[in-house]
Amino acid sequence: MDKKMKEVLDHAIYGTPELKPEEKALFLSNFAERIHIALTKSQVMKAGTYGEVIQLMKTKQNLKLFLNGNLSYSIYSNYIKEANQQSVPFTIVTPTSETPFGLVLADAATAISKTSFVIEDDWYKQDMNEL
């Protein structure tokens, strides 16, 4: 059987292959190259909000907020309130595998050139040490 025929049959049987499934599972259904900022679950759970997230919502266009559905609504409600004020759509994602991330603010459609998108504070280090 030639390669093209096998691809057509595999597509019909198994569906469209997913790109980078491990990366998307880790970053709440996002590709790393689209992320402006990502917070771990502990960072989201701390009192208040991170100013860096709010500032990005106020200054960047074409954003979408992704929140970890395994966290309680009361934990991330401040971020939802701010997203609504800034007209940033949000999605609550229930991860299918373990992820340290509780919030991802990403570009809705295109890749961005950013070398680091995490805030490496004590909360971040705590979550990364648990992995």
Side-chain angles (χ1 to χ4, degrees):
M1 179 180 320
D2 73 342
K3 185 177 178 183
K4 185 66 175 170
M5 178 68 79
K6 179 162 176 28
E7 286 178 13
V8 170
L9 288 174
D10 285 346
H11 182 14
I13 295 169
Y14 304 112
T16 304
E18 186 175 354
L19 297 174
K20 302 181 183 181
E22 297 86 13
E23 183 176 306
K24 289 176 73 177
L26 181 64
F27 298 116
L28 304 177
S29 76
N30 287 281
F31 295 114
E33 59 265 12
R34 290 187 180 175
I35 299 173
H36 285 278
I37 195 163
L39 299 179
T40 65
K41 290 185 268 190
S42 292
Q43 288 174 314
V44 175
M45 285 190 264
K46 82 169 199 59
T49 56
Y50 275 77
E52 294 90 338
V53 175
I54 307 307
Q55 186 62 31
L56 282 168
M57 285 187 199
K58 290 180 179 180
T59 58
K60 297 287 184 184
Q61 300 294 315
N62 203 30
L63 297 176
K64 188 162 184 182
L65 179 65
F66 296 86
L67 299 155
N68 188 325
N70 291 335
L71 299 175
S72 171
Y73 174 81
S74 62
I75 292 172
Y76 52 74
S77 62
N78 290 339
Y79 290 104
I80 290 176
K81 181 179 177 184
E82 190 64 38
N84 284 330
Q85 288 176 350
Q86 302 304 324
S87 299
V88 174
F90 68 90
T91 298
I92 298 172
V93 179
T94 303
T96 56
S97 61
E98 187 59 33
T99 178
F101 293 101
L103 177 150
V104 173
L105 185 62
D107 191 282
T110 59
I112 58 171
S113 58
K114 193 163 191 172
T115 56
S116 178
F117 49 78
V118 296
I119 299 172
E120 294 188 30
D121 59 8
D122 291 338
W123 299 105
Y124 172 83
K125 291 174 186 171
Q126 175 186 333
D127 279 341
M128 291 302 127
N129 286 335
E130 291 176 3
L131 291 179

